[in-house]
Amino acid sequence: MSTTALAVVQGSYTMNIRAESWLGGTLLADSIPVSDGGESRDRSLAVPEQISLTVPRRDGGFDWDPGTDPAHPLAAYGQMLRIDYGVDVGGQMEWVNRGWFLITESSTEGDTVSVNCQGLLTLIDEASLIAPFQPSSTDTLGSVIRALVEPALTVGFDGTLVDRAVPLGMQWDSDRLGAVTEVLTAWGAAERVTEDGYLLIEPVSDAGSPVLSISDDSTTGTVVRWQGSTTRDGAFNCVVAQGEDPSGNQIQGVVYDGDGTSPYQYGGPFNPLPVPYPYQSSLLTTVAQCRTAAAAQMKLLRRQAFRRLGVTMVPHPGLVTGDIVSVTGAGLTNARCAIESLSLPYAPGEQTLTVRVL
């Protein structure tokens, strides 16, 4: 987003939605008349992105009811929507790409067509393995992910990841996306679909500078509140990752919660003794690999267990899950937080965020 657009979305502004429909690389429609809808993202889900659209059945002389036409722009036979969110900056729209989404269902009632979409990981989630998948002796973690995902999605890897060989004897029977997740967890990595429709594999991390400062201020329409509950059930202060070396010996790596701001900090008042979370994978063949996997697992689990805030604000179309924001409110001052889930309306309204305090 331009500096002008970033300033505009801090207050009231005029917005618009632009949606294109593509099928097999062919553009079917470039101006779908979206009258309402919204987008939700939750990175705790296997497929984080969910989209709902409302489209008038007839607009500009075109019938937007897909009926039984497999090549209709709103049919659910492989059609993908590219959605852009427009911000009025001085009489012209600046378009922010929200990404590519797979149409999963379209239905017509009266003069309205309702369209539901999901993120592109749906292509992997629904494609169960028809035969057991066994890596070859030359396969690596990266080549296994490519074999499981491509050509449905093109895979890219963060340059800081160090690839390594896959142990012999690995096999996955049916769950394709589950196999990808197992490989990524052992690698200390996570996946996300980029706005351009690529699957990016990158290290699990909460690093980075805040992209936005949020302050609890009713005059600007921003409200920050604590949310959720606390419980000791399932809590832990260390992760124990176990594997097996080439000689068949069990190995393990342990990572303790050493975050001084964590209520679960090892050695702190939560419990002065280790309260372990166990993780095991045959993909771990050295102690170093076990420690790397344990550290990544600690970060992933904290996304579910750590303190959370609910934020209601003017819609900001530049935000996605995983972004780091600075939050002042609910007793916090300039606290670094990661966006775990969000909803973005595709019509005038309020945006909500769920952020985790880092």
Side-chain angles (χ1 to χ4, degrees):
M1 296 178 66
S2 68
T3 302
T4 302
L6 288 171
V8 167
V9 298
Q10 302 299 307
S12 179
Y13 63 91
T14 301
M15 53 78 63
N16 199 359
I17 293 293
R18 181 174 66 189
E20 300 174 350
S21 175
W22 294 75
L23 180 63
T26 300
L27 178 64
L28 302 181
D30 61 359
S31 56
I32 300 171
V34 177
S35 60
D36 201 353
E39 167 190 331
S40 65
R41 299 179 184 232
D42 184 341
R43 64 176 177 168
S44 69
L45 302 178
V47 181
E49 305 88 2
Q50 308 284 328
I51 306 291
S52 64
L53 301 176
T54 300
V55 177
R57 177 170 181 172
R58 295 188 180 277
D59 183 87
F62 187 79
D63 189 348
W64 291 101
D65 177 11
T68 58
D69 180 6
H72 191 281
L74 298 184
Y77 296 102
Q79 281 84 342
M80 296 183 185
L81 300 186
R82 174 190 158 120
I83 296 180
D84 295 299
Y85 190 108
V87 177
D88 189 333
V89 288
Q92 63 181 8
M93 285 291 170
E94 178 172 322
W95 296 100
V96 181
N97 181 14
R98 294 301 297 175
W100 291 79
F101 309 96
L102 181 71
I103 296 179
T104 56
E105 182 181 11
S106 295
S107 61
T108 303
E109 183 174 350
D111 296 329
T112 299
V113 180
S114 297
V115 183
N116 292 324
C117 307
Q118 294 182 351
L120 299 188
L121 276 174
T122 300
L123 296 169
I124 313 304
D125 190 33
E126 67 185 11
S128 299
L129 296 166
I130 60 176
F133 178 84
Q134 294 180 316
S136 71
S137 60
T138 60
D139 268 319
T140 66
L141 299 178
S143 67
V144 166
I145 291 176
R146 286 192 188 278
L148 290 167
V149 171
E150 294 181 342
L153 292 174
T154 300
V155 182
F157 297 93
D158 186 282
T160 61
L161 287 171
V162 179
D163 204 359
R164 57 181 172 85
V166 175
L168 293 175
M170 293 299 303
Q171 176 176 302
W172 291 276
D173 293 328
S174 61
D175 188 350
R176 186 183 298 268
L177 185 55
V180 171
T181 300
E182 182 177 349
V183 174
L184 292 176
T185 303
W187 201 358
E191 85 286 359
R192 67 179 177 90
V193 178
T194 69
E195 289 72 27
D196 293 326
Y198 293 89
L199 186 67
L200 177 62
I201 309 300
E202 55 191 353
V204 176
S205 175
D206 288 323
S209 301
V211 299
L212 179 69
S213 294
I214 297 173
S215 296
D216 190 353
D217 184 353
S218 59
T219 61
T220 63
T222 302
V223 178
V224 178
R225 293 192 178 98
W226 289 105
Q227 65 174 211
S229 58
T230 63
T231 177
R232 293 185 69 87
D233 185 31
F236 57 91
N237 57 17
C238 64
V239 174
V240 181
Q242 296 179 330
E244 188 176 283
D245 69 14
S247 299
N249 301 310
Q250 187 180 70
I251 55 175
Q252 72 176 32
V254 182
V255 170
Y256 296 90
D257 188 344
D259 185 348
T261 65
S262 171
Y264 306 103
Q265 182 184 13
Y266 174 67
F270 168 71
N271 194 325
L273 299 174
V275 181
Y277 178 92
Y279 167 72
Q280 193 280 331
S281 175
S282 298
L283 290 166
L284 304 176
T285 60
T286 69
V287 172
Q289 292 171 10
C290 290
R291 288 172 177 163
T292 298
Q297 191 70 13
M298 174 75 77
K299 293 175 183 176
L300 290 171
L301 291 166
R302 284 289 171 258
R303 291 179 182 177
Q304 305 171 29
F306 217 55
R307 300 178 299 164
R308 293 171 180 259
L309 295 163
V311 180
T312 303
M313 57 186 287
V314 174
H316 191 306
L319 297 177
V320 294
T321 51
D323 279 348
I324 306 299
V325 294
S326 173
V327 177
T328 297
L332 300 174
T333 302
N334 295 325
R336 290 181 72 253
C337 300
I339 300 176
E340 296 298 325
S341 65
L342 63 81
S343 66
L344 177 66
Y346 286 173
E350 294 179 333
Q351 180 174 26
T352 61
L353 309 176
T354 298
V355 301
R356 172 175 51 95
V357 182
L358 299 175

